[in-house]
Amino acid sequence: MATRLWTFLTTDIRDLVSLDTADRAADAADAVLGLAEVLAEEGPNVQKLAPLVNQLDSLLEALNSPLGKLVGATLPFVSIGTGLLKFYLETTKKEPTLAQSVALISQAAYLESFREFVKQHPKVEQWLNAKDSTPQAQAITPAVTALGNFELTDKEARFATLYFHQSALAIAFNDALKARLVQLGAKPEQANQMAEAIAKNTNRHMRTAIADAAPSIQRMAEWYRTGGDQVFEKYLSIDSYLDEAIAPRPHETVFAEAFTFNDIYVPLKTQVLTPAGEANDSKESFVLEAWAKQCLNDPTKAGQVMFVQGGPGRGKSVFCRLFADWVRRHEHPRWTPILIRLRDLAVLSNDFEETLAKAIDRDFAKTDPGWLSDRNINFLFILDGFDELLMEGRTSGGLDKFLVQVGRFQEQCARNSEKNHRVLITGRTLSLQPIERSLPPNLDRVEILPMDDDLQSQWFVKWGRLIGQDPNYLKGILKDPRLPEQLQELAREPLLLYLLGAMHRDGALRLEMFEGAEGARAKVLIYETALDWVLTQQRPDWLNRDIAELDTESLRRILMEAGLCVVQSGMEFARIGAIEQRLQQDSAAKQFLETAQKKLATDETPLRNALAAFYMQSGRQGEGSIEFVHKSFGEFLCAERIVISLIDWCQPGRNREYDIQDAEFCWGVYDLLGCHVLTPEILELVLQLLMQHKSLATEKLFNRLYGFYQDWENSLFIESLTENFPLRKQHQLEAFSGSPREKLGIMNIDVFAGLNSLALILSIKNLKNVEYPRFYPFGDPEKLKNKDWTYLSFLRLINYSLCTSPTALIKIVGPHLKGIDISRQHLESANLSFLNLENANLRDSNLFAANLANTNLRYADFTGAKLEGIYWNKETNWDGVIGLDSAIGVPEVLKHQLGLNP
């Protein structure tokens, strides 16, 4: 049996009270106000309430009054709804049915949600107030009046109490509200968005009303008895999360400036990518925020992961924090944003939903096992920094597996109406190269472009307004033809543009500084200048006055050590205690800290003051840890720290070849390189910094590292019973660790030390294009000339690296194998995918069933090589290869592809 929303009240009390059916209120809001006053002062007074009830077609008739006045009256809508239930019970002596209870409570809750929405959006409130005096506001909206006759069944009522926004009630209420708003002059799409948000939020107010009216609606209260409190707590937990973790993000200050990210941010433009990660030139560039908004509300893309990639400093993280808050302000509760920095994930679970719950670390995600199956809540998970997951030592097994989990989760959400969630993930482009083939197919990929002239001009205007300067002044400096073209291009990266602007403001930027600076050199010069600027001009007021007077070089060494510690931690933060312990090995820095401590004459830690000097903040582990505000700063300082040691290692000693003896040198390699340290970004910085040292004995450094690698290849260190450097490094990392990351085993440490040293050797060899005689890192082919078997060295290296990660060798060494001699190697079934084997010597090697997918084989020599059963794909580069005519078992398909058939 169906119940009408309002007429059940008037029908059931008509025989008990004499009512004048013609007595109507001139203003529905006045009638609702009258109900509130009577209920508050006299309770369920039949004689006074009945006439007021009869004046309304429904409680939502209040929407036919001027809405600005309705919102401003601050009527207790929920109390009115529960009061009318008590009135009905006492008047008729009948307990209201579930449908009758929902009919009244839902109207009150919807009005409360409407008022709350308007109060949260001041522009909407201003618009409604302005409309109150117009003829449209005085007119009646028929759709609102007709709500009193809406019929509600018990089944629909039960559904509405659980998922109001998807119920027939919500559709009817939304249609009435939209009609009213359009009548007042709103655009239909705007009215629809408002109505959806209001309906989404109605459920929580209904539950509050049910709790208040429990004595009067025992049937409904009993139906709610199980799980009601948990639902209230869940909504409260979500609200707290949004207030504490999302709302403040845009208003955080940019480094040490007085302005915020919201003050300086300009929209980013992006390029559509193909599934293979290539630019889709048939599509024009567009604003990232507009794309994300369109994808979020496009039901045809419900199964697609919004995938945003870009280089360092392009603005990915700032976009995430601003977009998360935009969703909170404009889309919640239709969409509830969850922002997760992937660098903060200590452990990745095999189950993505479990990873999410641990990352959020809030009551709504921890106490309710069905938190992702609540139809009332649609989450937008914004995962920032997938490249942070390249750090080894996490349970999941790597970035590729994590992204597969993400893709599978999004597909499940598209198929399951109980999980209408979306995922947006960002990260650095370069980190995807080794795993392109294993990326899930449901990625909607875009790449952030450098700022074009229009966006750069917008930034200059904001910058000029913030610092009180003509925006054309800085623009003129950065467009000066004397400035190297590469540096002008770097000024299109938001982070570097800020650094250039800030240094110019403080007088630390001069055009002549950058003469001749090209490529990576220009970027290094910016960071070096920024570091000097921070330590000498920008931050002395942050430091204790006595500390600031001490030498800048010691401060710089401290920050380098902090950079190394942060990168080695694999978590983007490091314990201050770990930095202090490392600094004990540096006599100058140690003396600096001891002198500073004496000058302070307090218990304050001088190291903490020093670390505050360069864009650092308390880490996730609390006051005992620090992290760089932007990852790029830590990477640059880590690179500087590595270069310091590389130069020290090749310095001549008194009466001996090297000042640093072999044992100390070998430990130094493990100490610096026995982790996932040499990322492509850091290695590029290391090489550029090395090139700046004109007096660097490159050949000595090469020979010393090569000697270490040969000993490492022979397992000299990991099998040592006296001085086991991998074990010593493991103990150091355990002592330094303040995180629950998975323990890094001695084999992992040994692999990293070997691969990182080999990457350095190969890069230094190519640094000045110098030929180093007798350089055979994988075995001397001359010694094998008369052998009838091939050599195992390279295959052994590939297999040994697998104990750390399937892609460790590909990522660390793979890009630097150009021109390598791997002739006479046994490479049967070897995974050579994604390696750069351009100009490589593969003569007489056995490549039976080897994987050559995405391998660069340009000009490689395959003379006499065995190629039966090899696997390659369209990304394999065969340009200019030689020796295939004498190779054994070349597949016919490959011959046809390369035009080798006669």
Side-chain angles (χ1 to χ4, degrees), residues 331-348:
E331 292 284 355
H332 179 70
R334 275 206 313 163
W335 292 101
T336 299
I338 302 293
L339 177 58
I340 298 172
R341 294 194 318 171
L342 293 176
R343 69 164 67 175
D344 295 334
L345 299 184
V347 177
L348 295 176

Side-chain angles (χ1 to χ4, degrees), residues 190-205:
Q190 293 173 328
N192 185 62
Q193 278 195 332
M194 290 173 61
E196 283 190 17
I198 290 162
K200 195 87 172 184
N201 209 34
T202 298
N203 193 269
R204 67 174 66 192
H205 294 298

Side-chain angles (χ1 to χ4, degrees), residues 300-314:
T300 65
K301 294 191 174 184
Q304 297 291 107
V305 176
M306 292 176 274
F307 197 84
V308 182
Q309 58 191 68
R314 285 274 172 95

Side-chain angles (χ1 to χ4, degrees), residues 447-463:
E447 181 161 21
I448 299 177
L449 299 172
M451 300 169 77
D452 58 20
D453 290 344
D454 178 53
L455 290 183
Q456 212 178 34
S457 295
Q458 292 180 39
W459 192 92
F460 286 135
V461 169
K462 286 195 170 188
W463 176 256

Side-chain angles (χ1 to χ4, degrees), residues 651-784:
Q651 294 304 307
R654 181 178 298 179
N655 301 322
R656 59 174 182 259
E657 185 176 7
Y658 298 109
D659 182 48
I660 295 176
Q661 299 193 46
D662 287 346
E664 185 181 352
F665 158 69
C666 292
W667 161 243
V669 176
Y670 275 94
D671 185 33
L672 282 185
L673 306 179
C675 298
H676 185 74
V677 172
L678 282 187
T679 63
E681 294 86 357
I682 292 177
L683 182 58
E684 180 188 43
L685 293 170
V686 167
L687 296 176
Q688 186 58 51
L689 288 166
L690 281 175
M691 290 177 66
Q692 293 178 199
H693 289 269
K694 304 298 184 184
S695 60
L696 173 67
T698 309
E699 187 174 349
K700 276 193 168 187
L701 176 60
F702 175 88
N703 289 334
R704 193 152 209 203
L705 286 171
Y706 185 30
F708 167 87
Y709 177 78
Q710 289 176 312
D711 288 340
W712 173 86
E713 189 181 30
N714 292 320
S715 305
L716 182 67
F717 307 112
I718 196 168
E719 294 180 358
S720 173
L721 298 177
T722 55
E723 190 69 68
N724 192 306
F725 295 134
L727 182 61
R728 179 178 168 186
K729 181 62 179 178
Q730 183 191 46
H731 290 163
Q732 182 205 72
L733 290 174
E734 289 176 350
F736 288 175
S737 176
S739 71
R741 63 174 283 168
E742 186 177 332
K743 178 179 176 181
L744 199 62
I746 59 173
M747 287 184 68
N748 298 115
I749 292 169
D750 194 52
V751 168
F752 278 127
L755 294 182
N756 284 328
S757 62
L758 180 58
L760 269 175
I761 293 165
L762 295 169
S763 299
I764 292 170
K765 177 179 178 293
N766 296 324
L767 198 60
K768 296 183 179 180
N769 202 25
V770 176
E771 288 296 327
Y772 291 88
R774 316 308 304 163
F775 173 59
Y776 301 108
F778 308 118
D780 186 347
E782 288 298 319
K783 295 180 180 179
L784 305 170

